[in-house]
Amino acid sequence: MQAQPLPSSRTETACDAAKPAILLVDDEPTTRMMTARKLRRAGYEVDVAENGKEALDRLRQRLFPILLTDWEMPAMDGLELCRAVRAARFDSYVYIILLTARNSKANVIEGLEAGADEYISKPVNDHELAARLQTAQRILRLEQSLRAANQRNLLLSITDALTGAHNRHYLMSQLPKELGRTHRYARPLSAVLCDIDRFKTINDRYGHQVGDDALVQFAALLQRSIRSEVDWVVRYGGEEFLVVLPETDFGAALAFAERVRNALEAQGVETTGGSVSMTASFGVTSYSGASDQAKLSVDTLIAAADACLYRAKRAGRNRIIGKSFDEGASTVILERPADRHFGDALHDETAAAKVESIPAPVTGNETEPVDWPGLLESLDGDEGFARELAQTYIDSVDSLLADLAAAVDRGDYDTVRSKAHALKGASAEIGACRAADAAAKLETAALAGEPDGLGTLAAKLTRDVGAAADYLRSKTSSEL
Ligand code: GH3
Ligand code: MG
């Protein structure tokens, strides 16, 4: 007998050009072959299986939007197959048509309850099969558009509408997972909090529209700077973004922040209102993923980045301050413009260990030589320790300044650099921002071997350190 192609249904449309693939399941070879041939001649791509078990294996390997299955089969029958397909929850919907000689009401109900969408009695009428397949395609198209709408909605629910970055909702659902992986596999994780400097003045000067555009462009700069497969950007607040960098250690995270800081400082952003100069400040924080960090939480990670960002703002903006949770590591200050000392290490992304750790800068009080309240806060109010620290600073700076003065007189750059470096660390530790800044400038000049202005820079450093020591003396005698 010659197999006839399936008659075309009157409702067939142009969309039927790409017909869905059908998996045909029947244990009887002749019926299987004949039905397969008809379907193929009607333009369907068809694969065949001999029983439910084989069909299920096939479905696990590739997607068949339509499953046309016999009821009675060895190994796994049609009903069991229906149940297994529904339980498997494949990525997209499988439309199931049961073919069977059983056509009592009870059978129909049983088949539908097992998960079949449609039911055709044997012997199959070709017109009926063609019409049923049309229905299947209609339902599948509806299901696909629903699925696409759901995906769009899901994306919208985790995306910031203005910048296209992720929103906080996404952050709070994903960061715990990233952190979990960090702990489980002892892998590093870094987070960089970025905040545009004096953004209010950009709004004031250019208008809110340009301000919006500047935010979009800044987000785009961040997106261009990350590894798109693994890193992600969240709009954390109005003009504040958090970049999550999995598998990234402290040194590489600092290098990332420096790349962005540098690009923004150099180019600003192109907006609808023209080119806008702007800078940003960065708080960088990293977990190494070591097991002793199991207690570290999402909140701790973000709070540390926030504290670093706050310090970067107070220290003058357009800079990076980082804190690693690695054992023994302390806060790293990156100067603006990046000084040679840190810059060299930063350009070598693999050389995290070479990034010099110096004690936390406790800056913030811009009128006093030392930010004493900030220091106490960073020490969790431990006044006893703050007193000891102040005394140590007072005791040590005199000889450092004397050595420095002698080295300046001799033109001994190396000693000038090392004394300036020591004064920078000590001053940052105690919260003497101006002194730390002056020391950094002198250190940079000495490193570059610039004789001009070395004396002036050393004199300023001496004054600032002296003022800090005096301030601490007055504090220790009055308040402590
Ligand atoms: P700082 O350097 O201390 O960060 O100063 P700042 O001016 O950037 O920070 P501040 O928090 O004082 O002001 C943030 C400004 O960002 C105020 C707010 O109007 C603006 N802003 C927040 N969200 C948006 C936004 O979606 N569009 C625009 N155009 N401006 C925004
Ligand atoms: Mg800001």
Side-chain angles (χ1 to χ4, degrees):
M1 188 178 86
Q2 179 106 34
Q4 298 296 311
L6 290 178
S8 63
S9 158
R10 272 185 303 246
T11 54
E12 210 157 356
T13 67
C15 300
D16 298 322
K19 290 187 168 166
I22 298 177
L23 180 61
L24 171 66
V25 197
D26 201 316
D27 58 321
E28 208 291 301
T30 319
T31 316
R32 193 169 64 230
M33 273 180 70
M34 284 300 286
T35 314
R37 180 174 156 79
K38 283 182 196 169
L39 292 168
R40 285 191 186 113
R41 294 187 68 184
Y44 290 96
E45 179 199 340
V46 183
D47 200 354
V48 292
E50 291 183 18
N51 57 57
K53 208 165 164 315
E54 196 186 314
L56 206 54
D57 288 344
R58 207 63 58 81
L59 280 166
R60 288 202 177 102
Q61 283 156 16
R62 65 156 284 192
L63 172 76
F64 289 93
I66 299 178
L67 177 65
L68 197 58
T69 179
D70 192 18
W71 183 315
E72 283 163 62
M73 293 177 292
M76 180 189 268
D77 72 16
L79 279 198
E80 286 174 86
L81 176 59
C82 285
R83 290 192 196 99
V85 169
R86 294 300 174 233
R89 297 184 178 279
F90 292 114
D91 284 345
S92 57
Y93 193 69
V94 179
Y95 190 93
I96 307 177
I97 303 176
L98 257 180
L99 297 171
T100 180
R102 303 181 185 200
N103 55 7
S104 73
K105 254 208 165 49
N107 290 145
V108 173
I109 291 168
E110 198 182 358
L112 295 178
E113 281 182 350
D117 295 283
E118 196 52 275
Y119 183 96
I120 305 181
S121 307
K122 278 183 173 177
V124 176
N125 174 294
D126 290 350
H127 285 94
E128 184 184 2
L129 179 57
R132 299 284 189 215
L133 289 171
Q134 283 301 314
T135 308
Q137 290 183 67
R138 222 173 27 247
I139 301 287
L140 285 169
R141 275 198 295 275
L142 266 176
E143 195 269 340
Q144 270 162 11
S145 59
L146 253 180
R147 192 178 287 267
N150 274 345
Q151 267 165 1
R152 268 197 309 279
N153 285 340
L154 181 69
L155 198 65
L156 284 178
S157 76
I158 59 168
T159 305
D160 169 57
L162 177 68
T163 62
H166 288 301
N167 59 18
R168 285 179 80 133
H169 171 68
Y170 182 82
L171 173 73
M172 295 328 280
S173 69
Q174 289 306 305
L175 196 50
K177 292 181 193 161
E178 295 282 10
L179 212 50
R181 274 192 287 275
T182 294
H183 294 322
R184 232 178 0 265
Y185 304 116
R187 305 296 306 160
L189 173 74
S190 296
V192 179
L193 197 57
C194 330
D195 186 288
I196 300 172
D197 295 329
R198 306 210 188 282
F199 189 62
K200 216 158 22 186
T201 61
I202 292 175
N203 273 335
D204 293 346
R205 191 174 308 157
Y206 303 100
H208 213 264
Q209 187 61 48
V210 172
D212 277 3
D213 211 12
L215 283 176
V216 171
Q217 296 308 323
F218 180 62
L221 168 64
L222 292 174
Q223 300 281 10
R224 282 198 302 277
S225 310
I226 59 171
R227 300 163 300 172
S228 58
E229 302 297 307
V230 278
D231 306 332
W232 38 282
V233 178
V234 175
R235 186 170 179 200
Y236 190 69
E239 23 74 79
E240 202 172 0
F241 294 83
L242 184 77
V243 185
V244 178
L245 304 166
E247 298 285 332
T248 303
D249 64 21
F250 191 40
L254 288 170
F256 163 82
E258 174 57 10
R259 267 200 314 277
V260 176
R261 189 204 67 75
N262 193 34
L264 189 66
E265 183 183 41
Q267 297 154 23
V269 288
E270 282 304 321
T271 70
T272 46
S275 176
V276 171
S277 304
M278 63 188 206
T279 61
S281 301
F282 300 80
V284 176
T285 180
S286 299
Y287 283 174
S288 70
S291 57
D292 61 339
Q293 297 175 351
K295 285 197 294 294
L296 294 176
S297 67
V298 164
D299 289 346
T300 316
L301 186 75
I302 296 178
D306 200 33
C308 288
L309 174 62
Y310 178 74
R311 287 178 177 183
K313 290 280 182 189
R314 302 298 294 267
R317 296 179 174 79
N318 188 19
R319 68 193 63 207
I320 301 160
I321 290 187
K323 177 171 174 53
S324 166
F325 284 91
D326 296 353
E327 208 180 323
S330 183
T331 303
V332 169
I333 310 170
L334 298 181
E335 303 293 344
R336 178 183 63 90
D339 70 31
R340 288 172 180 229
H341 201 64
F342 293 120
D344 289 348
L346 283 175
H347 290 131
D348 179 0
E349 292 202 22
T350 59
K354 282 202 264 161
V355 177
E356 182 155 341
S357 290
I358 68 169
V362 188
T363 59
N365 190 323
E366 279 157 18
T367 52
E368 301 290 3
V370 176
D371 177 16
W372 186 257
L375 174 64
L376 280 177
E377 192 189 323
S378 77
L379 295 173
D380 296 326
D382 187 345
E383 290 197 9
F385 186 79
R387 201 174 12 241
E388 275 179 45
L389 200 67
Q391 198 54 54
T392 307
Y393 184 81
I394 293 164
D395 291 347
S396 65
V397 293
D398 275 353
S399 72
L400 281 171
L401 287 173
D403 292 349
L404 176 70
V408 170
D409 285 346
R410 288 198 308 277
D412 175 355
Y413 298 128
D414 208 38
T415 307
V416 171
R417 192 205 54 75
S418 90
K419 299 298 166 191
H421 184 71
L423 284 163
K424 179 170 82 173
S427 301
E429 185 82 77
I430 205 78
C433 176
R434 269 201 297 277
D437 227 49
K441 287 193 179 102
L442 178 60
E443 186 189 6
T444 306
L447 197 68
E450 291 166 1
D452 295 346
L454 212 62
T456 315
L457 288 173
K460 170 152 178 29
L461 173 58
T462 307
R463 270 200 312 281
D464 289 342
V465 169
D470 286 348
Y471 176 89
L472 289 171
R473 274 189 206 97
S474 78
K475 280 285 161 189
T476 44
S477 56
S478 63
E479 279 190 17
L480 297 176

